[in-house]
Amino acid sequence: MLIDTSSEKLFLPENLPAKLKKAGEKIFSGERITFEEGVMLFEEGELPFLSALANFVREKKNGNFVYFNRNFHIEPTNYCVFDCKFCSYSRFLRERGDSEAWEMTEEEIYKIVKSYIGKPVTEVHIVGGVHPKMGLQYFANIIKNIKTILPGIHVKAFTAVELEYMCRKAKLSFKEGLKILKDHGQDSLPGGGAEIFDEKLRNEICADKCSTNEWLEIHETAHGLGMASNATMLYGHIENYHHRVDHLERLRQLQDKTGGFNTFIPLKFRNKDNQMSNLREVSVIEDLKNYAVSRIYLDNFNHIKSYWPMIGRDTAQMSLDFGVDDIDGTIDDSTKIYSMAGAEDQNPALSTQQLVELIKGAGRHPVERDTLYNIVNDFGEAEINF
Ligand code: V47
Ligand code: SF4
């Protein structure tokens, strides 16, 4: 298949089944595809077909740009009151006193923040386990102090799972809780905790944490307060293609309503050291297909992000031909959630130069962004050594 963007023509192979041809023409003309068409693309769309269409959509939205940002992570604790079966990271319920458990003091958190004074980072990403003693007011004060140490920093913090627990413990509505955090300096929400929205599956893999409706309500409330957020989907475990499209559909509907999502981040299930270790991980082909269908289906999301510390640098680079326009994780990606789950990259840190090279190596134009996708630096002309 070929898309000639200069003459705005779509050339489909003669032998392409009629329903795929129809979906291809819809996507090419900017028409939204249906739930059934989403499932069909997963089931029957061959990789080159999906790549061409996803790439067409991504170039219409983002040209040849590939975004990255300079951020650092703080993971205050991996103690967690919940017991998600896919999680390799949480300690406490299962292994109290485990040597891999940690609980940072406030001073330890500020020490990390202070180490970034004068460094060109624009965002801090704060997320961790759900600790019974670290409540909403405790974190609100931490955010306020972080903003005093690094006044210009964007604070992207707490998944809907953490927020649901904090609000419940503080006996506050989601709106009241989020408003307090916002007033103390929280700017946006990361996309974690979404897992898979189908209620039956959610009940099988993470029964005790926030429900699908609570996840969606928290993000809707945040958007209503002017806080942007991300969305994720954990894939490659016990779900099928219907479940994936159902997940994308619920996100597409909420985005139609609020427009508050920045980016969608598919998260590949990794099977090391968790209660679902008996499952095999899906192939790279499946990862690429998932990026492509997500890009096509979520026609109201501006960005699709591949999280390279999770899928590895090579797959992240390939994903740029399957609808992805954003690669996360630079400088010091100190997140442990993936290295403990068996991610490709056990030492997730890339220098800006390495990241620029990775993007240029895929024939794309690297740009540094801030959290809200304003361009901070254009690396299009940067010298690189292949
Ligand atoms: O919700 C946990 C996932 C998420 C495993 O918003 C696992 O910019 C795979 O959401 N295999 C938390 N995934 C991390 C997250 C995130 C990461 C990077 C950027 C952003 C953003 C958000 O990690 C959890 C869960 O879905 N996770 N265990 C596992 N074994
Ligand atoms: Fe806790 Fe998050 Fe792990 Fe679930 S995925 S057990 S909520 S740290």
Side-chain angles (χ1 to χ4, degrees):
M1 189 179 91
L2 187 77
I3 294 177
D4 179 352
T5 33
S6 56
S7 64
E8 300 200 342
K9 282 212 173 84
L10 170 72
F11 299 98
L12 293 166
E14 296 280 313
N15 58 352
L16 194 72
K19 52 188 182 175
L20 279 174
K21 187 164 181 279
K22 185 173 164 223
E25 283 165 353
K26 272 174 94 171
I27 297 159
F28 187 65
S29 64
E31 215 183 305
R32 177 168 278 192
I33 61 164
T34 63
F35 187 101
E36 292 70 29
E37 286 167 334
V39 175
M40 177 188 67
L41 290 183
F42 267 124
E43 285 174 347
E44 297 174 45
E46 288 186 8
L47 218 47
F49 175 75
L50 296 176
S51 166
L53 288 170
N55 194 49
F56 172 74
V57 176
R58 78 83 85 196
E59 287 189 358
K60 223 164 53 169
K61 287 183 183 287
N62 295 297
N64 205 27
F65 283 167
V66 174
Y67 299 92
F68 66 91
N69 73 341
R70 300 205 230 195
N71 61 2
F72 64 101
H73 286 236
I74 297 177
E75 297 184 352
T77 182
N78 67 342
Y79 279 26
C80 189
V81 298
F82 297 124
D83 192 23
C84 305
K85 297 208 172 3
F86 51 82
C87 183
S88 320
Y89 166 89
S90 83
R91 298 290 186 273
F92 188 51
L93 279 181
R94 278 183 282 143
E95 292 150 83
R96 194 187 275 265
D98 186 292
S99 62
E100 283 183 309
W102 72 85
E103 195 181 19
M104 282 183 191
T105 61
E106 274 192 63
E107 283 59 44
E108 283 169 330
I109 292 175
Y110 302 141
K111 194 170 164 212
I112 297 178
V113 178
K114 282 180 190 153
S115 73
Y116 287 94
I117 292 175
K119 297 217 177 122
V121 289
T122 57
E123 175 189 285
V124 54
H125 179 160
I126 310 172
V127 57
V130 179
H131 193 293
K133 295 211 176 102
M134 295 179 177
L136 191 129
Q137 199 54 55
Y138 171 79
F139 278 125
N141 288 334
I142 286 184
I143 290 175
K144 194 166 162 229
N145 292 334
I146 288 176
K147 282 274 173 92
T148 309
I149 301 168
L150 289 177
I153 202 85
H154 179 110
V155 177
K156 182 177 77 178
F158 313 125
T159 65
V161 174
E162 294 162 278
L163 291 165
E164 185 279 327
Y165 185 82
M166 283 185 216
C167 292
R168 179 154 45 94
K169 288 274 280 191
K171 298 193 170 39
L172 295 169
S173 69
F174 298 150
K175 190 171 177 186
E176 290 163 340
L178 281 164
K179 177 94 178 31
I180 292 173
L181 291 166
K182 184 177 184 221
D183 290 346
H184 282 75
Q186 180 171 338
D187 299 290
S188 67
L189 276 58
E195 321 313 358
I196 197 83
F197 287 150
D198 178 89
E199 281 79 2
K200 190 165 169 291
L201 257 60
R202 194 173 185 84
N203 201 34
E204 283 183 46
I205 66 171
C206 53
D208 54 356
K209 73 179 180 190
C210 85
S211 67
T212 294
N213 284 342
E214 286 167 338
W215 191 98
L216 291 166
E217 192 188 332
I218 286 169
H219 282 258
E220 183 172 353
T221 307
H223 298 171
L225 290 170
M227 299 162 92
S229 73
N230 291 336
T232 58
M233 172 174 75
L234 184 69
Y235 71 95
H237 44 92
I238 57 171
E239 90 291 359
N240 62 32
Y241 290 144
H242 281 86
H243 298 127
R244 286 194 210 172
V245 179
D246 168 65
H247 192 97
L248 298 176
E249 175 59 29
R250 297 195 209 201
L251 289 174
R252 193 167 77 173
Q253 282 182 20
L254 182 53
Q255 181 74 331
D256 274 345
K257 210 165 155 188
T258 67
F261 288 115
N262 268 336
T263 184
F264 176 66
I265 314 152
L267 296 172
K268 174 191 184 128
F269 166 69
R270 308 306 305 238
N271 66 5
K272 191 178 151 212
D273 247 349
N274 56 50
Q275 296 171 70
M276 287 163 61
S277 293
N278 58 313
L279 297 180
R280 282 178 60 181
E281 291 179 3
V282 295
S283 66
V284 173
I285 303 286
E286 193 57 43
D287 297 330
L288 298 175
K289 186 193 268 193
N290 190 65
Y291 283 120
V293 179
S294 302
R295 174 59 289 170
I296 293 166
Y297 202 85
L298 294 175
D299 59 352
N300 52 6
F301 275 63
N302 285 335
H303 304 286
I304 306 288
K305 177 152 93 178
S306 65
Y307 191 61
W308 68 260
M310 162 65 92
I311 53 163
R313 298 164 200 215
D314 294 344
T315 308
Q317 196 179 36
M318 281 190 284
S319 74
L320 301 178
D321 277 344
F322 290 81
V324 168
D325 63 278
D326 187 353
I327 299 198
D328 193 13
T330 49
I331 313 259
D332 279 323
D333 205 325
S334 46
T335 180
K336 292 214 174 56
I337 197 152
Y338 299 125
S339 52
M340 290 172 82
E344 299 300 323
D345 229 297
Q346 289 294 310
N347 186 14
L350 273 183
S351 68
T352 303
Q353 170 78 8
Q354 286 171 311
L355 201 75
V356 165
E357 282 176 15
L358 188 147
I359 295 167
K360 287 202 163 188
R364 302 286 185 182
H365 183 143
V367 278
E368 182 191 346
R369 62 164 176 91
D370 65 14
T371 312
L372 304 176
Y373 289 84
N374 301 302
I375 294 181
V376 177
N377 271 307
D378 185 340
F379 286 90
E381 302 301 320
E383 291 271 325
I384 49 161
N385 308 305
F386 286 111

